[in-house]
Amino acid sequence: MISETPKIKLAIFASGGGSNALKILEYFEQHSTIEIALILYNNKSAGVIQHGLAFNVPTIYWNKTKMNDAKATLSMLNYYHVDGILLAGFLALIPKYLVQRFSGKILNIHPALLPDFGGHGMYGHFVHEAVSASGKLCSGITIHLIDAEYDKGKILFQYPVSINANEDPVSIQKKVLALEHLYYAPIIEKYFMNPESLF
């Protein structure tokens, strides 16, 4: 009897509504190679909780204290055989021990074209407000690896979208979010199945 190749198991870390997490869960629900094995969230009112329950994925509250406990966190990830981590609106710096343990295996999506509009405090509406105030005619998404600094990891994929000078931040957000939903899951798939295809 031929044994099946074990699936690549990924964990989602989230803090908010979880629309990107939902798209990822939908994309990989019937995937032959990749499985979403765990969701960790650090906000007790996070919308991602409902998405995890709907897809029958273990969804666990994991606050800052627990995240800073290397032994507890690694034990949790090992229990679910996690091979990589996907950040989907996760509003906290990833601890160094996780960056080291999962080197090259933690992905994030940023709602602008890095290196512009990145760094500490630059997330969600703050990014779109800064883009609007800058007068730039382009925004977009950046999918990148995580390292020890905010938004400094190796860029895997970028996609631009045209905007008007000083366009309303909410309007920019809608345009960028549509790109996030369209591209994040397929890039995750490409990276974990054939990373060379992105370089």
Side-chain angles (χ1 to χ4, degrees):
M1 183 177 177
I2 300 174
S3 61
E4 292 186 7
T5 303
K7 284 190 174 184
I8 299 167
K9 295 182 183 291
L10 304 177
I12 295 174
F13 287 10
S15 299
S19 68
N20 270 317
L22 176 58
K23 293 297 180 183
I24 293 167
L25 288 164
E26 290 173 345
Y27 192 88
F28 292 109
E29 185 178 18
Q30 302 294 334
H31 202 278
S32 61
T33 307
I34 295 173
E35 173 186 346
I36 305 304
L38 176 67
I39 297 172
L40 294 185
Y41 63 97
N42 61 359
N43 172 8
K44 287 185 177 180
S45 61
V48 73
I49 301 167
Q50 299 306 316
H51 301 323
L53 293 173
F55 282 82
N56 201 30
V57 173
T59 302
I60 300 169
Y61 177 62
W62 208 253
N63 62 20
K64 183 177 181 180
T65 300
K66 290 181 177 178
M67 188 64 73
N68 287 333
D69 184 337
K71 185 176 180 181
T73 301
L74 291 175
S75 177
M76 169 70 72
L77 297 175
N78 288 337
Y79 179 82
Y80 288 97
H81 306 288
V82 170
D83 300 302
I85 297 169
L86 313 172
L87 306 186
F90 186 70
L91 305 182
L93 186 66
I94 299 299
K96 289 182 179 179
Y97 74 84
L98 271 182
V99 174
Q100 293 169 351
R101 168 63 179 80
F102 290 91
S103 177
K105 294 182 179 180
I106 307 177
L107 271 62
N108 183 47
I109 189 163
H110 185 79
L113 299 174
L114 294 174
D116 292 342
F117 307 106
H120 182 63
M122 292 301 287
Y123 62 86
H125 68 94
F126 295 112
V127 175
H128 304 304
E129 288 168 2
V131 172
S132 175
S134 75
K136 283 184 176 288
L137 301 177
C138 183
S139 189
I141 59 169
T142 302
I143 299 171
H144 64 99
L145 296 177
I146 288 293
D147 62 15
E149 297 183 73
Y150 282 110
D151 303 324
K152 295 290 187 180
K154 186 171 186 176
I155 291 172
L156 302 177
F157 177 84
Q158 290 186 304
Y159 199 92
V161 64
S162 296
I163 58 174
N164 299 316
N166 307 116
E167 185 169 335
D168 180 69
V170 174
S171 174
I172 297 172
Q173 180 185 30
K174 289 179 180 178
K175 291 180 179 180
V176 171
L177 190 61
L179 294 178
E180 293 180 16
H181 291 170
L182 185 62
Y183 287 107
Y184 197 14
I187 295 300
I188 291 165
E189 179 183 42
K190 283 186 177 182
Y191 182 73
F192 281 99
M193 292 186 66
N194 182 23
E196 291 79 13
S197 66
L198 295 174
F199 303 115

